[in-house]
């Protein structure tokens, strides 16, 4: 969840109108173009899966408190809430602690999963996260344009489980230059690669809150349809995956 509940400023959205189909752009109010929590819930419910929603506590011109109702609704529906730590907090355990406690004041339960905004990973981070009670992190990516063995699976770093980011909307569309009709084939290829390394591999997928109505991002439903059609694929939020791995 990169954006405040009200979405970016109007100008920001209007400057990106070519990311949307004209019909969508005309139909939806600019402040709702980036807002997709109910749609994500509906889609995942349809395919019987649950994911993790990583919330920031520091939003540009916004406040995470505005998400309180969404957070409650997600939790009641068994979705996991994780922390989307600010890149500026990574070096300072006290700052991460403040962010974790802020989010926990809204969830009323412990947050165990972390992902840093802009994937601002740091070698000292796992130690800090472990100390604060996190069980896993998923902020690590070695390259911006490759999907190989290093970008999947998991490792234990300082007693914290680390899931590298395997597939992310933004990298697929920008750094890898993949068009909408190339996304499902890319998922297929990635699964094949994962299977070739291990019969119990882990692939982590990031799909941002704001992309579901955009060209490219709108095929999330097709991605779920494809993944759930694979007999050997299980889709889990981080918290459930950690339980299995333990
Ligand atoms: Zn982010």
């Amino acid at each position: 969840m990169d954006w405040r509940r009200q979405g970016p400023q109007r100008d920001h959205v209007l400057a990106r109108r070519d990311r949307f189909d004209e019909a969508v752009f005309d139909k939806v109010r600019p402040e709702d173009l980036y807002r997709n929590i109910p749609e994500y819930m509906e889609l995942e419910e349809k395919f019987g899966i649950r994911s993790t929603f990583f919330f920031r506590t520091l939003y540009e011109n916004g406040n995470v408190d505005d998400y309180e109702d969404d957070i409650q609704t997600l939790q009641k529906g068994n979705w996991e809430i994780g922390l989307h730590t600010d890149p500026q907090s990574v070096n300072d355990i006290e700052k991460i602690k403040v962010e974790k406690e802020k989010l926990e004041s809204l969830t009323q339960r412990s947050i165990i999963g972390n992902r840093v905004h802009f994937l601002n990973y740091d070698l000292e981070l796992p130690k800090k996260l472990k100390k604060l009670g996190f069980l896993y992190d998923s902020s690590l990516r070695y390259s911006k344009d490759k999907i190989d063995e290093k970008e999947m699976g998991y490792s234990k770093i300082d007693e914290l489980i680390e899931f590298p980011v395997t597939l992310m909307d933004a990298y697929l569309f920008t750094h890898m230059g993949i068009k909408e009709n190339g996304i499902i084939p890319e998922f297929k290829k990635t699964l094949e690669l994962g299977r070739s390394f291990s019969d119990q591999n882990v692939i982590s997928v990031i799909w941002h809150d704001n992309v579901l109505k955009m060209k490219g991002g709108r095929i999330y439903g097709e991605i779920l349809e494809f993944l759930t059609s694979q007999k050997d694929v299980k889709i889990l939020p981080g918290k459930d995956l950690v339980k299995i791995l333990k």
Side-chain angles (χ1 to χ4, degrees), residues 1 34-47 49-53 74 79 169 206-214 216-221 223-224:
M1 305 297 301
Y34 276 41
R35 183 179 152 66
N36 294 302
I37 292 179
E39 288 89 341
Y40 270 115
M41 291 176 69
E42 202 179 302
L43 268 174
E44 295 193 356
E45 177 67 35
K46 179 178 161 194
F47 289 101
I49 65 141
R50 290 295 184 267
S51 60
T52 307
F53 283 71
L74 283 164
W79 275 272
D169 49 9
I206 299 183
W207 221 249
H208 283 89
D209 55 332
N210 58 308
V211 302
L212 198 60
K213 294 189 186 86
M214 291 183 191
R218 65 189 172 189
I219 67 156
Y220 187 63
I223 293 171
L224 295 188

Side-chain angles (χ1 to χ4, degrees), residues 2 84 117-118 208:
D2 274 357
H84 197 32
H117 187 45
F118 296 142
H208 283 89

Side-chain angles (χ1 to χ4, degrees), residues 7-8 24 27 33-34 39 55-56 68 76 84 101 112 125-126 132 140 152-153 162 165 167 213:
V24 172
K27 205 174 58 189
L33 281 168
Y34 276 41
E39 288 89 341
F55 283 85
R56 300 172 69 190
E68 185 167 11
K76 264 184 219 132
H84 197 32
E101 286 173 356
I112 60 162
L125 182 64
L132 295 174
L140 186 56
M152 55 181 70
E162 180 68 43
V165 175
L167 290 156
K213 294 189 186 86

